[in-house]
Amino acid sequence: MQKKNNYCSFLLSLFGVALSFSLATLVLHGWPNFIPPTLSEPYIYAGDGLSMQWLAQRSIEGWIFENHRSGYPYGSNFYDYPMSDSGHFLLLKILGLVFGSASLAVNLHFLLSFSVTFLVTFLILKKFQIQESIAFGISLLFAFAPFHFARFFYGHILYTWYFSVPVFFYLGYKIASNKKIFNGLSLKKATILSMIFVALSSFGVYFAFFGSILLLTSGILGSIKIKKSTPFKASLGLTAGIFLGVLLNLMPNILEFHNNGRNQHVAQRSPIESEIYSLKVMHLIIPHPDHRIKQARDFSRNYKASFPLSNTVSSLGVIGILGLASIFIAVLFMAANREVDSTVRFTSIAFLVLLLFAIPGGLSTIFAIFVTPLIRGWDRISIFINFACLLTLAVILNNIFSQLRAKKYNVSLKYIAVIAVTATGIIDQTPSSYASILENSAANYRIDSGFIKEIEENSPPEAAIYQLPHIDFPEAPPKHQLHSYQLATGFINSKSLKWSFGGVKGREGDSFFKHLALQPASVQITELKKLGFHGVYIDKRGYPDGGLAIVQEFSMLLGEPSLTRSDGNVVFFTLSNPDPHE
């Protein structure tokens, strides 16, 4: 009987994995275009999404830290920007090598995040003794949290893999309840625990950091409960494991800082940013800005336009709000010394602590001032709060249905209720489709990729291309109509061409090209020929006059542009063209 139950559970989890993937493509493409989903063209091709395409391409060609095709001829050193995301880049590398495309790798990376989040959440909810039907529905709702799509279309692709959140809650609950995670730590179990640490540490420093707050909170709760330090020591041990995992991810950066000093121009943060990117309760309860109901969309967008410190990526959705209300009620019951389910007690305290850190002027501000301002995006803790709310609701539903079953009520009512709650939540948490955004991204991609292909076909193998205007990298403000990562499209869409863009600001190459871009075209051309550049790529959107003066200046020396992009925004000069004045 047990084997049969395990087999059924296995089939249910596989169905959920496939359903999550299919639903994600349905939301992206709309009906019936999601069968089959388009994967070859990037879903997001603007803003920070371009920087992720750039990093994905680098990981496929070697690794993210060094690449000879970016920042030519000085190289593109990315050690200055610390990231604890080796799990992401390893997956992107594997997908890119298997399918031969960075765009396809990024798209698949995003779609797989739904399946992985569902699967891990489903398994963790079962660990909490939640009935499978309820666990299935809640796992789908968590996988399709508004946070998921909102972060992706902000270009924050790496935050879509938040599968670690349920794991942190489970570990925290075990510690707070003074329960052993493993009964006896054999070599096999120690290996499993080490792998968990590495996984939790290699998919984003923010999730690892917020998870550590949760673990330490759990340790304090457990120690208070039994009046012994054992739970707190356990939480310290787990947190130390997470810290070591992050340290392992950052070791290349740390060694670079030790050998060559810290680049003071990159990843500089101010304590005030901890409040700019803080979390308000209102952020949790407003509808997401792409809601199916127009009034809900308008309310969210008007709020963002009218109120300070606003974000639109932290919405819980109506089902999550029910969980939030349940937490508030549970807190009142606890204050009145009434009996509360142990899991709900834990999620309620966890919610209060996480919110206390994330709110404007909260503990995050103290942390930023007295420890480090490098952790600044505290609104990202909303996905932890989202899980706390959904777990609370799952426990309540589980208890209700257990009582009904004991009283021999019709069990089929449970399945009807779960389906209704899940369907309502999914519809509320997602728009009808993101097809218009995808079509716009695909159109821009085709324009770019076609033009870059033309340059590559008309250039010698591994030719070097100089790009104008100069724009700092990374994290620079837009230059007129040119986004800070727009020049990365040359590298992203070519196979062998070398590009001047991508040298990290504060490094030798960045300083050289910044100075060179201020010189007359004649001086630039002379220097470029010495360095072996084959052509000049000018994006006219980066100039106040639409590039008229700079294009005219180069045309006087090199003749008319060899190539012009179909939208007219970019021109390409071949440096071997004869000087018309000679």
Side-chain angles (χ1 to χ4, degrees), residues 185-211:
L185 198 61
S186 63
L187 179 61
K188 179 181 178 181
K189 292 176 180 177
T191 303
I192 294 172
L193 195 59
S194 299
M195 291 173 66
I196 292 173
F197 286 154
V198 172
L200 296 179
S201 306
S202 301
F203 285 86
V205 69
Y206 273 98
F207 296 153
F209 185 76
F210 298 153

Side-chain angles (χ1 to χ4, degrees), residues 275 277-288 299-300 303 307-317 320-325 327-328 351-362 378-379 381-382 385-386 389:
E275 295 202 8
Y277 302 114
S278 59
L279 179 71
K280 298 190 292 186
V281 174
M282 191 63 180
H283 295 159
L284 300 173
I285 62 178
I286 59 174
H288 63 89
F299 178 84
S300 178
Y303 178 83
F307 288 81
L309 305 180
S310 294
N311 80 63
T312 54
V313 299
S314 302
S315 172
L316 298 177
I321 291 172
L322 288 176
L324 180 64
I327 286 177
F328 285 137
F351 163 78
L352 291 174
V353 171
L354 294 172
L355 190 64
L356 186 60
F357 268 94
I359 57 175
W378 288 89
D379 57 340
I381 213 168
S382 64
I385 290 175
N386 197 318
C389 294

Side-chain angles (χ1 to χ4, degrees), residues 212-254:
S212 297
I213 293 174
L214 185 61
L215 291 175
L216 293 173
T217 300
S218 304
I220 294 171
L221 288 175
S223 293
I224 292 173
K225 182 179 180 180
I226 66 171
K227 298 179 181 179
K228 291 183 180 180
S229 62
T230 307
F232 185 64
K233 290 178 180 177
S235 70
L236 282 176
L238 291 180
T239 303
I242 300 298
F243 176 77
L244 289 174
V246 172
L247 196 65
L248 184 64
N249 274 269
L250 299 181
M251 190 55 65
N253 308 88
I254 294 170

Side-chain angles (χ1 to χ4, degrees), residues 514-537:
K514 182 180 291 186
H515 174 74
L516 183 62
L518 299 175
Q519 306 304 309
S522 58
V523 175
Q524 294 187 54
I525 290 169
T526 300
E527 290 296 324
L528 293 174
K529 287 183 176 180
K530 290 179 182 177
L531 293 170
F533 278 92
H534 167 72
V536 179
Y537 174 107

Side-chain angles (χ1 to χ4, degrees), residues 102-279:
S103 296
L104 195 149
V106 171
N107 290 346
L108 271 178
H109 174 273
F110 176 58
L111 292 173
L112 289 172
S113 66
F114 290 90
S115 297
V116 172
T117 301
F118 167 84
L119 180 60
V120 174
T121 306
F122 180 72
L123 296 175
I124 291 297
L125 289 178
K126 286 183 62 182
K127 289 285 187 180
F128 276 104
Q129 305 303 312
I130 304 297
Q131 297 174 42
E132 285 190 341
S133 58
I134 299 172
F136 188 93
I138 295 297
S139 298
L140 270 181
L141 290 175
F142 187 61
F144 284 84
F147 180 97
H148 207 147
F149 283 105
R151 282 294 172 190
F152 179 74
F153 285 110
Y154 260 43
H156 299 171
I157 297 170
L158 303 186
Y159 295 114
T160 62
W161 278 65
Y162 49 83
F163 69 91
S164 60
V165 176
V167 179
F168 280 120
F169 269 87
Y170 176 68
L171 294 175
Y173 175 72
K174 295 281 281 188
I175 293 171
S177 304
N178 197 32
K179 296 177 181 178
K180 293 182 179 179
I181 298 170
F182 289 121
N183 294 320
L185 198 61
S186 63
L187 179 61
K188 179 181 178 181
K189 292 176 180 177
T191 303
I192 294 172
L193 195 59
S194 299
M195 291 173 66
I196 292 173
F197 286 154
V198 172
L200 296 179
S201 306
S202 301
F203 285 86
V205 69
Y206 273 98
F207 296 153
F209 185 76
F210 298 153
S212 297
I213 293 174
L214 185 61
L215 291 175
L216 293 173
T217 300
S218 304
I220 294 171
L221 288 175
S223 293
I224 292 173
K225 182 179 180 180
I226 66 171
K227 298 179 181 179
K228 291 183 180 180
S229 62
T230 307
F232 185 64
K233 290 178 180 177
S235 70
L236 282 176
L238 291 180
T239 303
I242 300 298
F243 176 77
L244 289 174
V246 172
L247 196 65
L248 184 64
N249 274 269
L250 299 181
M251 190 55 65
N253 308 88
I254 294 170
L255 291 175
E256 174 70 16
F257 298 163
H258 178 266
N259 294 332
N260 299 309
R262 180 74 186 268
N263 186 344
Q264 297 301 320
H265 298 272
V266 176
Q268 296 302 305
R269 305 290 186 250
S270 167
I272 196 173
E273 292 177 276
S274 65
E275 295 202 8
I276 293 174
Y277 302 114
S278 59
L279 179 71

